[in-house]
Amino acid sequence: MISSTAVAAMKAREIERFIAANPKSKAHAERSSGWFQGVPFHWMLDWPSPFPIVSAKAEGATLTSIDGQVFDDFCLGDTAGMFGHSPPALAAALAEQAGQGLSYMLPTVKGAELADMLAAMFGLPHWQVTTTASEANRAVIRWCRGLTNRSKILIFNGCYHGAVDDVFVDLREDKAVHRQSLIGQVHDLLPTVTVVEFNDVEALEAALRQGDVACVLAEPVMTNVGMVRDAPGYLDTLRRLCTETGTLLVFDETHTISSGYGGHSNTHGASPGFGPDIMVIGKSIGGGVPCAVYGFTVEIAQRMEALNRSRPAGHSGIGTTLSANALSIAAMHAMLGQVIARDAYSHMLAMADRLVAGLNALIETRQLDWHVSHVGARVEFVCSATPPTNGSEARAAMNPALEAAIHLALTNRGILLAPFHNMMLLSPVTHASQVDRLLHELGNVVGELREYRA
Ligand SMILES: Cc1ncc(COP(=O)(O)O)c(C=O)c1O
């Protein structure tokens, strides 16, 4: 058992240590009052430290702070840098594009090549580009409602698909409610959003058989409420029920691109004909340059064309000025052409296996009632004994105080985990020595917690 007193004592100790080790970051926080709450974007405050580390640069799988500390980076920009920070091919492509104009509202030659690369990697023939994954999901929801003439979408409890109004609905005590933390929510989402637990076939079937759901929008493995694995056969059942009920199936593979080449549905889920109708991918596809894509089948493309022919000219409600600008096209072209390759995944998966084996050994030797969640290059240790099967169980398994103390202690030992749950990403440029150091330091931190005496 790890006592709450041990956790609180560690947090207090590590805060002191963090403040002493990061004087320049502290001074930076104090003079950044021009930014609301001291940062240009409030998520930068989600780390468990008293003020954020100020980054000087990041290369490969390391990040250097203005205080000169070099961190082994397992956060990797919460997936945006999952293939390594500034891969040389990306840096070169961006430098080349920088002198040739960045946004023309016109196609480029690289864009045509990129569409072929996307089709080859993800197995869908038609694509569109947006500026963020949030925007891609918003566009896709609009398309699905337009294509089916149905108003509802179905999501899974605990999901996250970006800043997308339509999906901020939770199940609390079996009732759908607006996510309680929302700011300025005026539209009632409940009439047009159905939310069920992941892996609950009965609830899914009952909802889809109503015949009024435009699309299921899902991650094929939930990754934003901790990780929740698909039960064996679940994705095939989901696909079958969508087909039988005329519901479109959208896989948001923004995070699960880490599962393997082509994303999770191509690596694990897809018996032939069992892929999604539409797939969304963001973040890492541009290596950190804002961009995202959504791909779809021939049938969906034909229905989109028919819908376009049937509506009056004018705004569709889809698209923003900077979408598919030349810089983001150049970024994705470099990433897909030279970085996100099959052999890159071989290394990532080998590093993930090394980390998982080490975490399991640590859990066993320290007799922790924890478990490891792992798909492809995405790994989490969860401070509860049993893997969750749905969003509610995953929320219940979280231990924010313990997680924050561990994150901060690891930060002070030069290791960055994602600030959300205990997410660790392995990149094609993560070294085995970085994985071993993480395991060693986590072992030390757990040892301190276990051996704490007040
Ligand atoms: C599954 C998933 N979809 C979409 C998004 C939104 O991405 P962005 O914030 O880049 O719009 C996220 C962000 O974490 C995500 O995890």
Side-chain angles (χ1 to χ4, degrees):
M1 266 297 282
I2 293 174
S3 73
S4 55
T5 341
V7 171
M10 173 171 277
K11 185 81 194 283
R13 217 166 45 238
E14 296 298 338
I15 285 177
E16 291 308 311
R17 189 169 164 183
F18 182 89
I19 293 170
N22 296 284
K24 290 186 182 162
S25 291
K26 181 165 184 287
H28 186 275
E30 282 160 2
R31 73 156 185 276
S32 293
S33 57
W35 295 121
F36 174 60
Q37 297 178 315
V39 283
F41 177 46
H42 61 277
W43 285 9
M44 292 173 183
L45 298 174
D46 284 347
W47 299 82
S49 48
F51 46 85
I53 288 162
V54 179
S55 155
K57 64 171 181 177
E59 284 170 295
T62 62
L63 182 143
T64 307
S65 73
I66 59 169
D67 286 289
Q69 193 173 1
V70 180
F71 295 90
D72 291 325
D73 190 359
F74 293 88
C75 170
L76 296 169
D78 186 13
T79 311
M82 197 185 80
F83 296 97
H85 292 294
S86 288
L90 173 63
L94 295 182
E96 187 189 332
Q97 189 63 49
Q100 298 175 4
L102 303 178
S103 198
Y104 328 124
M105 193 77 81
L106 286 170
T108 59
V109 172
K110 275 190 177 169
E113 292 168 0
L114 173 61
D116 294 342
M117 292 173 183
L118 287 164
M121 178 166 176
F122 297 104
L124 288 168
H126 297 292
W127 292 87
Q128 284 285 276
V129 176
T130 61
T131 312
T132 62
S134 302
E135 190 197 332
N137 282 322
R138 288 196 297 267
V140 164
I141 290 171
R142 205 175 256 281
W143 272 120
C144 290
R145 285 180 168 144
L147 294 176
T148 58
N149 261 322
R150 297 175 176 181
S151 61
K152 284 191 179 168
I153 63 163
L154 185 142
I155 55 163
F156 293 109
N157 186 31
C159 71
Y160 182 72
H161 296 284
V164 181
D165 274 8
D166 286 288
V167 305
F168 288 132
V169 177
D170 288 329
L171 259 190
R172 298 276 174 188
E173 288 155 11
D174 290 334
K175 259 193 72 178
V177 291
H178 286 166
R179 190 156 293 174
Q180 285 158 3
S181 50
L182 295 176
I183 293 175
Q185 185 64 39
V186 291
H187 300 293
D188 186 0
L189 303 172
L190 303 182
T192 52
V193 179
T194 300
V195 54
V196 300
E197 294 285 12
F198 197 61
N199 284 325
D200 182 344
V201 173
E202 223 175 283
L204 176 71
E205 178 153 18
L208 295 188
R209 296 266 178 233
Q210 306 282 318
D212 58 356
V213 176
C215 68
V216 172
L217 172 60
E219 288 189 278
V221 174
M222 298 186 82
T223 67
N224 282 296
V225 60
M227 267 163 77
V228 181
R229 273 308 308 255
D230 48 312
Y234 183 67
L235 295 181
D236 281 355
T237 304
L238 172 61
R239 174 66 273 184
R240 180 177 55 77
L241 288 173
C242 283
T243 306
E244 285 174 14
T245 58
T247 311
L248 301 176
L249 177 58
V250 182
F251 277 151
D252 177 356
E253 296 247 25
T254 295
H255 272 187
T256 50
I257 188 176
S258 57
S259 288
Y261 188 80
H264 189 87
S265 51
N266 278 304
T267 310
H268 295 284
S271 352
F274 271 67
D277 297 295
I278 305 179
M279 188 190 283
V280 169
I281 308 134
K283 300 202 201 186
S284 63
I285 196 130
V289 173
C291 48
V293 289
Y294 57 99
F296 35 94
T297 60
V298 171
E299 193 213 322
I300 295 292
Q302 287 165 350
R303 288 169 67 180
M304 285 173 166
E305 278 169 14
L307 176 58
N308 270 340
R309 280 194 300 272
S310 72
R311 68 184 176 88
H315 291 148
S316 62
I318 295 171
T320 52
T321 311
L322 291 175
S323 295
N325 67 69
L327 187 74
S328 62
I329 296 287
M332 288 189 280
H333 187 275
M335 290 300 292
L336 284 188
Q338 298 173 70
V339 182
I340 308 180
R342 280 185 196 277
D343 58 351
Y345 276 94
S346 312
H347 179 79
M348 293 155 76
L349 301 187
M351 289 300 102
D353 287 344
R354 189 181 186 99
L355 179 56
V356 170
L359 288 170
N360 279 327
L362 175 68
I363 288 171
E364 199 179 314
T365 41
R366 290 282 177 183
Q367 296 182 323
L368 298 163
D369 51 359
W370 294 5
H371 70 273
V372 182
S373 232
H374 160 225
V375 191
R378 184 176 298 270
V379 180
E380 292 194 0
F381 59 90
V382 186
C383 307
S384 78
T386 330
T389 62
N390 61 39
S392 292
E393 289 176 16
R395 278 198 195 103
M398 288 177 185
N399 187 334
L402 175 58
E403 289 169 16
I406 294 174
H407 283 212
L408 187 55
L410 288 177
T411 303
N412 285 333
R413 288 155 181 77
I415 292 163
L416 296 179
L417 308 191
F420 319 108
H421 20 105
N422 303 313
M423 195 177 82
M424 294 162 286
L425 292 166
L426 291 306
S427 79
V429 286
T430 302
H431 295 293
S433 59
Q434 292 180 294
V435 172
D436 294 347
R437 212 171 76 73
L438 164 58
L439 290 166
H440 175 74
E441 293 297 357
L442 183 60
N444 288 341
V445 170
V446 167
E448 273 185 43
L449 284 166
R450 290 296 295 261
E451 281 137 34
Y452 177 78
R453 299 279 171 273

